[in-house]
Amino acid sequence: MSTKSELDEYKKFVKQKLDEIASCLAHISVGDFTRRFDIYNLPNDEFAELFCGLDLMMDDLMEARRELENTNRNLEKLVALRTAELNTEKDRLAI
């Protein structure tokens, strides 16, 4: 049976880990995916699995953001090109 001090230590440990997760999620919620866990030096427990999962999720989110930004840039270029073509055609027809 666990002693009260062991239980208190465990509660402290769990609260610390949950605080780390909450901090990470707060960063993610504002688009900051730079907050990382040292996944190579984590103990082999459920929190390590969760931290690794969060790290993988941030990698996926960063990649999705890069792809979205690239798509947006390409669309902006395409719109500019089509607008120029339409203006050229409008000018040609106005003469």
Side-chain angles (χ1 to χ4, degrees):
M1 184 167 223
S2 298
T3 67
K4 177 160 175 27
S5 71
E6 289 174 328
L7 184 58
D8 288 343
E9 276 299 310
Y10 183 71
K11 286 180 181 179
K12 183 179 173 182
F13 169 78
V14 169
K15 179 165 181 354
Q16 175 197 7
K17 296 301 181 185
L18 291 175
D19 286 345
E20 288 181 52
I21 293 167
S23 174
C24 178
L25 292 174
H27 285 266
I28 291 171
S29 73
V30 295
D32 176 6
F33 308 119
T34 61
R35 168 77 163 81
R36 295 305 179 117
F37 301 102
D38 185 6
I39 60 174
Y40 300 104
N41 291 314
L42 292 173
N44 188 16
D45 64 10
E46 291 81 5
F47 285 107
E49 289 182 39
L50 183 56
F51 293 155
C52 287
L54 285 170
D55 252 30
L56 289 172
M57 181 180 73
M58 285 185 284
D59 287 341
D60 290 345
L61 288 170
M62 283 179 18
E63 179 61 26
R65 175 183 272 173
R66 275 192 295 271
E67 289 176 11
L68 182 60
E69 289 170 349
N70 189 42
T71 298
N72 283 341
R73 276 191 298 278
N74 289 338
L75 284 173
E76 288 171 358
K77 289 176 186 176
L78 183 60
V79 166
L81 177 65
R82 295 295 186 247
T83 301
E85 290 172 352
L86 284 170
N87 286 333
T88 300
E89 187 64 16
K90 182 182 98 178
D91 292 343
R92 187 186 70 76
L93 293 174
I95 296 178

